[in-house]
Amino acid sequence: MNAATDFSAVDMRDAFFLRLYDIARQDPTVVVLSNDFGAPSLDRFRADLPGQFVNAAISEQNMISMAAGMAMAGRKPVVYSIASFLTLRALEQVKVDICVMGAKVMLVGVGCGYAYSVDGPTHHATEDIAIMRALSGMTVWSPSESRVAGAMADLVSDLPGPAYLRFDRGRWPGLGAFDLTRGLRVLGEGEQVAIIATGIMTHRALAVAETLRHSGVACRVIDLLRLSPPDRGELLAALAGAGRVVTIEEQAAPGGLGGLVAEFMADEGLLRPLLRLAIDPALVFAYGERDRLHGERGLDVDGAVARIEAWMRR
Amino acid sequence: MIATPSKETPMPPTESVADLKRKANQLRRRVLEMCYAHGGHISTCYSYVEILVALYYGGVLRHDPSRPDWDGRDRFLLSKGHGETLLFAALADMGYFPAQWCDTAYRGGECRLGGHVDHKIPGIETTSGALGHGLGLGCGMAWAAGRAGRDHAHYVLLGDAECSEGSVWEAALFAAHHGLGNLVAIIDRNRIGSLDFTENYIALEPFADKWRAFGWEVREVADGHDFDQLIHALAAERPTDRPMAVIAHTVKGKGVAAFENDPTWHVRAVTADLIDQARAELMEENR
């Protein structure tokens, strides 16, 4: 790793591509495909490693099929796009060409949830967790900070199968130590409520937990770095002793993180009160500044705290 | 730029046209019995029998049935994956897998051979059944092979109706821009989709001009059931700096009069009242 680079000070995708650049210089089989979508950190990659970059143009279906074909021919393809186009436009290609055939392709989608704010529903990835975790064989990674996104580049060297990495936009500061092999980390020690989050909503969960602590509610936060498949042992250990469970996510409620946790708890017989804070399906499609959209949907700190407190009083 | 395709061994023996015709007839009879017993898209298969026989038995494809994963093989991708019956029959005939799979494990039972081609079957490169994927997969393979300095070729067989998929033309743009001379698209131009003749619902013509306009070398085969024409188009020297489209004009259901050029046969089952007549016609042709 480039010791001079402080990944916490750059965008998630730049942390990823800066690290991937180092890997790709050593491994000529690494290939980046993009649907005519760039990033500041990708400029150096394209300039220095032109044989390992393919601008596949605005043709996501062909881009995914080609990536699968490249993987079958011994390459390590990394497909880069805005998350909504990657997960929706070419979904059948992702299922058939990548998942059915077990092609070792890394899909990197940028712009989770409402990250593209005023650009609206075409650019929002508000269903990507539900979609991608439904695909058999797909591993879904969801970094909460730039350093974690950078570390995830190393996964390309030895993928066990298809992978989807969902990145946010912007710089996200470090939240402490992490170990990707565990798939999650626990932040704080509170017994009353375990708040499970993923991606940048982990930062929101920490703020919610802090506010609740001031009201005397002891919370821990679980940052799911690998959403699917969750590590059973790690998640059981992370939830041990927690009286209640809350999930908070910037996704349409059906099938998202809350659904994942509900399924997990039901399957494990972990019968605790569960509150899912997600986007009301009726309110998903919208344009606006991200903070405003969160506030209107009860996903800002005040809204989340109020909903959790009301739920705890019931 | 013109180059002779490398012919690194092993190659299948190149059979005489008479032998190839006998092989085509034998496979048609095999497909008939498989479809009669288990189902399948018989007219879809019959339109590309000669194309497949030319590729595998006519010395076009570099392949080795005893080594399905041999890295030096040419890749054949059946993009119209619902034509699986014929490919299964041919691969079994060549020894890629036991012939009895076609009788006991096709479209039922342990289902080693399902209702579409699957990459897990020996000799089959890619799973298909959803249309419009094969050319993109072939592009990725061809791009990677070219970058790695490999000399094997990639042949993708598409149905003509499949060419309504936008992804086909996405791939066509890519292949031409990147000069993928190791990629050949063969289009089974039988002019029939599932419900109707292509020109009646989404006209593809001028079809060859479309491929030319996309930057492809185009060869039309006036009779896609004629081995001399097919092998000439597929095996003659071709440009190394651009992909090639071979448009084979075929008859859907070719070989049995009742199946020929009739859209309804895309999904019809071979039933007891037709089987004797079909067998008789194919036996007659075999004489």
Side-chain angles (χ1 to χ4, degrees):
Chain A
M1 192 173 297
N2 186 345
T5 305
D6 176 6
F7 283 169
S8 65
V10 298
D11 270 38
M12 272 191 190
R13 62 180 174 187
D14 292 325
F16 176 84
F17 280 122
L18 288 170
R19 174 64 190 136
L20 192 72
Y21 175 89
D22 291 341
I23 296 167
R25 282 189 78 96
Q26 302 297 318
D27 183 352
T29 67
V30 172
V31 181
V32 173
L33 295 92
S34 157
N35 57 341
D36 203 24
F37 181 54
S41 52
L42 203 49
D43 293 343
R44 185 176 61 145
F45 192 108
R46 293 164 57 200
D48 294 357
L49 304 170
Q52 291 170 255
F53 177 82
V54 176
N55 186 342
I58 305 167
S59 56
E60 290 77 16
Q61 297 179 68
N62 185 52
M63 178 167 68
I64 296 293
S65 293
M66 286 202 305
M70 289 178 187
M72 290 168 204
R75 300 283 162 148
K76 299 187 181 90
V78 176
V79 183
Y80 172 61
S81 165
I82 290 177
S84 64
F85 306 141
L86 194 60
T87 56
L88 291 165
R89 184 59 169 262
L91 181 56
E92 184 185 87
Q93 278 77 8
V94 173
K95 174 187 166 182
V96 176
D97 300 345
I98 293 181
C99 292
V100 172
M101 293 196 267
K104 295 177 181 179
V105 174
M106 180 181 269
L107 304 173
V108 177
V110 171
C112 298
Y114 286 135
Y116 278 99
S117 62
V118 298
D119 290 323
T122 58
H123 284 56
H124 294 161
T126 41
E127 306 84 11
D128 66 314
I129 292 177
I131 291 166
M132 299 305 269
R133 78 182 186 89
L135 295 171
S136 178
M138 180 66 75
T139 304
V140 180
W141 295 91
S142 182
S144 49
E145 46 153 304
S146 299
R147 292 179 313 146
V148 178
M152 285 180 179
D154 285 275
L155 296 169
V156 78
S157 299
D158 190 26
L159 282 183
Y164 170 57
L165 280 56
R166 52 189 308 274
F167 288 178
D168 218 284
R169 303 174 76 196
R171 300 168 185 183
W172 294 91
L175 296 173
F178 63 90
D179 176 0
L180 290 185
T181 64
R182 295 180 59 195
L184 59 78
R185 62 181 161 185
V186 181
L187 305 165
E189 296 178 341
E191 291 280 313
Q192 283 174 278
V193 178
I195 305 176
I196 305 180
T198 194
I200 63 127
M201 290 304 279
T202 297
H203 298 262
R204 179 67 42 79
L206 287 166
V208 169
E210 185 61 25
T211 304
L212 287 171
R213 259 183 229 117
H214 291 309
S215 310
V217 179
C219 301
R220 80 186 71 164
V221 169
I222 300 169
D223 178 20
L224 274 186
L225 302 174
R226 195 185 68 221
L227 279 170
S228 186
D231 186 304
R232 178 177 176 272
E234 290 286 349
L235 191 50
L236 283 174
L239 287 169
R244 291 169 175 265
V245 180
V246 173
T247 60
I248 183 165
E249 64 189 309
E250 196 188 26
Q251 292 276 292
L257 173 67
L260 183 156
V261 171
E263 290 168 17
F264 180 82
M265 291 171 64
D267 290 346
E268 296 297 333
L270 204 64
L271 303 179
R272 312 266 171 77
L274 170 66
L275 175 66
R276 296 182 298 137
L277 300 180
I279 306 170
D280 180 337
L283 302 176
V284 171
F285 303 139
Y287 296 81
E289 297 295 340
R290 202 173 189 181
D291 287 345
R292 184 173 73 79
L293 296 177
H294 283 190
E296 291 169 355
R297 286 153 187 79
L299 293 171
D300 60 336
V301 174
D302 290 346
V305 168
R307 290 164 77 183
I308 292 169
E309 288 181 337
W311 169 67
M312 292 183 73
R313 283 194 298 271
R314 281 212 306 247
Chain B
M1 271 194 296
I2 299 288
T4 304
S6 163
K7 291 298 176 190
E8 179 191 337
T9 56
M11 286 289 292
T14 301
E15 302 178 40
S16 70
V17 167
D19 289 338
L20 296 177
K21 285 182 175 175
R22 270 191 290 279
K23 182 58 69 178
N25 181 270
Q26 175 199 329
L27 289 172
R28 275 203 176 84
R29 285 183 283 140
R30 184 72 166 126
V31 166
L32 178 73
E33 299 304 333
M34 287 171 69
C35 287
Y36 180 50
H38 308 288
H41 296 82
I42 196 161
S43 65
T44 298
C45 291
Y46 276 14
S47 71
Y48 84 97
V49 171
E50 282 75 19
I51 296 170
L52 195 79
V53 169
L55 286 168
Y56 277 97
Y57 300 86
V60 176
L61 272 186
R62 193 165 79 192
H63 75 120
D64 180 355
S66 70
R67 292 183 294 162
D69 297 327
W70 172 46
D71 207 31
R73 71 192 184 282
D74 289 337
R75 271 64 168 175
F76 173 70
L77 282 67
L78 183 65
S79 192
K80 47 176 249 178
H82 58 291
E84 83 286 350
T85 324
L86 172 63
L87 184 55
F88 292 164
L91 291 174
D93 176 64
M94 289 181 282
Y96 276 91
F97 49 76
Q100 67 263 29
W101 287 12
C102 295
D103 301 312
T104 62
Y106 175 49
R107 286 180 174 250
E110 60 183 323
C111 215
R112 285 175 183 273
L113 307 176
H116 292 100
V117 296
D118 188 274
H119 73 291
K120 290 180 181 163
I121 299 165
I124 292 190
E125 302 288 346
T126 55
T127 296
S128 179
L131 297 171
H133 293 220
L135 200 57
L137 286 160
C139 274
M141 292 179 181
W143 183 91
R147 290 277 170 175
R150 309 300 308 281
D151 71 347
H152 59 263
H154 305 76
Y155 298 85
V156 183
L157 180 69
L158 299 96
D160 56 351
E162 177 183 3
C163 294
S164 304
E165 292 278 11
S167 52
V168 170
W169 301 101
E170 292 179 4
L173 282 172
F174 182 92
H177 181 85
H178 288 267
L180 300 182
N182 55 356
L183 179 66
V184 177
I186 307 166
I187 299 104
D188 181 1
R189 182 72 171 117
N190 59 37
R191 308 182 76 88
I192 294 179
S194 178
L195 288 179
D196 200 353
F197 294 90
T198 56
E199 304 315 284
N200 287 349
Y201 63 95
I202 286 287
L204 295 171
E205 295 297 336
F207 195 51
D209 288 346
K210 288 186 169 74
W211 288 93
R212 283 191 196 97
F214 272 67
W216 287 57
E217 165 82 3
V218 175
R219 290 180 187 165
E220 290 201 73
V221 177
D223 179 355
H225 302 287
D226 181 292
F227 284 110
D228 287 323
Q229 292 182 35
L230 278 171
I231 290 173
H232 181 262
L234 290 166
E237 288 181 327
R238 63 174 190 271
T240 58
D241 61 352
R242 62 184 186 276
M244 180 169 81
V246 174
I247 300 170
H249 293 276
T250 58
V251 175
K252 195 160 178 174
K254 173 76 174 179
V256 172
F259 306 160
E260 287 184 3
N261 207 34
D262 176 355
T264 67
W265 266 100
H266 182 80
V267 292
R268 278 173 69 182
V270 180
T271 48
D273 57 314
L274 289 161
I275 189 72
D276 288 340
Q277 177 61 31
R279 283 171 179 152
E281 281 186 49
L282 293 172
M283 287 307 294
E284 182 67 26
E285 188 188 314
N286 196 37
R287 290 218 173 89

